Amino acid sequence: MDIFSHWLWWWLVTWRKHKKQFYASFIIWMLPDLIPFWILFVLTFLWIVNLPAWQQNNVSWIPWYIFFLYAVTHSLIIFAIVFFVTFLILKKFYLPFIARFLHIIIDIPTHSLKFFPTPFLWPICDFKIDWIPWSNPKILISDLIILFILYSWIFVLKKKKQYYKNIKLK
């Protein structure tokens, strides 16, 4: 999924949470894409990587370590290890880690084998699923429609709550 949609889904999942967990989950939610792709962004910005290559969905120009970082950050196996080690250290489940889990789960059906398929079982195996990429208009428009409906619903709920609060005050 595109990083903008990831951000919007993250906000939907965490909008009622404690502020400290809200910001922590934002960072944890975005890390799987930010860790590998900030390097490409910097290289493109410095004109070390050719910008038109981004638009061709051709991955042959991308350095190997970007794929390695992408595999590490999108692996459910690595997530589970980090999640349980954190549990052992903190003696409780760290709720913002659910954001990382959701990021990976959302990416599995919204990537194809042609451009950054989600290596969710890495390093155990290299199995990836060939789904419809998020850039496909059917997926992108469906995603935006669902987000619009959910955000509209939240907006209506907030207005309704505010309306009833004002009535009680009068």
Side-chain angles (χ1 to χ4, degrees):
M1 184 165 289
D2 65 293
I3 200 156
F4 180 70
S5 290
H6 271 304
W7 184 82
L8 291 171
W9 280 105
W10 156 81
W11 193 87
L12 279 172
V13 171
T14 60
W15 71 283
R16 293 182 157 223
K17 306 294 181 238
H18 186 270
K19 277 194 176 194
K20 203 181 245 186
Q21 288 187 346
F22 182 76
Y23 295 119
S25 64
F26 171 71
I27 292 166
I28 291 170
W29 183 288
M30 301 307 275
L31 278 179
D33 286 341
L34 292 178
I35 289 173
F37 293 117
W38 74 268
I39 296 170
L40 283 179
F41 176 76
V42 169
L43 293 175
T44 302
F45 183 74
L46 297 173
W47 292 294
I48 296 170
V49 170
N50 187 1
L51 185 60
W54 276 95
Q55 299 162 351
Q56 297 169 1
N57 280 353
N58 179 358
V59 295
S60 62
W61 60 273
I62 299 173
W64 66 270
Y65 53 86
I66 301 298
F67 291 102
F68 174 76
L69 291 171
Y70 189 79
V72 169
T73 60
H74 284 76
S75 168
L76 289 174
I77 309 303
I78 301 297
F79 163 79
I81 293 167
V82 171
F83 186 81
F84 288 114
V85 167
T86 304
F87 174 75
L88 293 173
I89 293 168
L90 298 177
K91 306 290 188 231
K92 65 178 182 176
F93 289 111
Y94 188 54
L95 194 59
F97 274 177
I98 299 305
R100 175 78 173 271
F101 175 76
L102 290 173
H103 178 115
I104 298 166
I105 294 301
I106 287 173
D107 269 1
I108 293 170
T110 59
H111 285 252
S112 73
L113 292 177
K114 293 178 185 172
F115 193 75
F116 281 95
T118 307
F120 62 98
L121 296 175
W122 185 90
I124 292 175
C125 71
D126 198 31
F127 177 74
K128 298 171 187 119
I129 298 174
D130 191 16
W131 289 79
I132 303 171
W134 62 264
S135 58
N136 181 304
K138 291 177 185 175
I139 299 299
L140 191 58
I141 292 169
S142 299
D143 178 49
L144 294 174
I145 289 170
I146 293 167
L147 285 167
F148 178 78
I149 291 168
L150 292 172
Y151 273 88
S152 299
W153 182 55
I154 289 171
F155 179 75
V156 168
L157 287 178
K158 286 178 116 179
K159 286 291 183 189
K160 192 174 181 182
K161 186 177 178 181
Q162 189 177 36
Y163 172 76
Y164 284 116
K165 263 187 184 178
N166 289 339
I167 289 177
K168 290 177 186 177
L169 292 174
K170 291 180 181 178

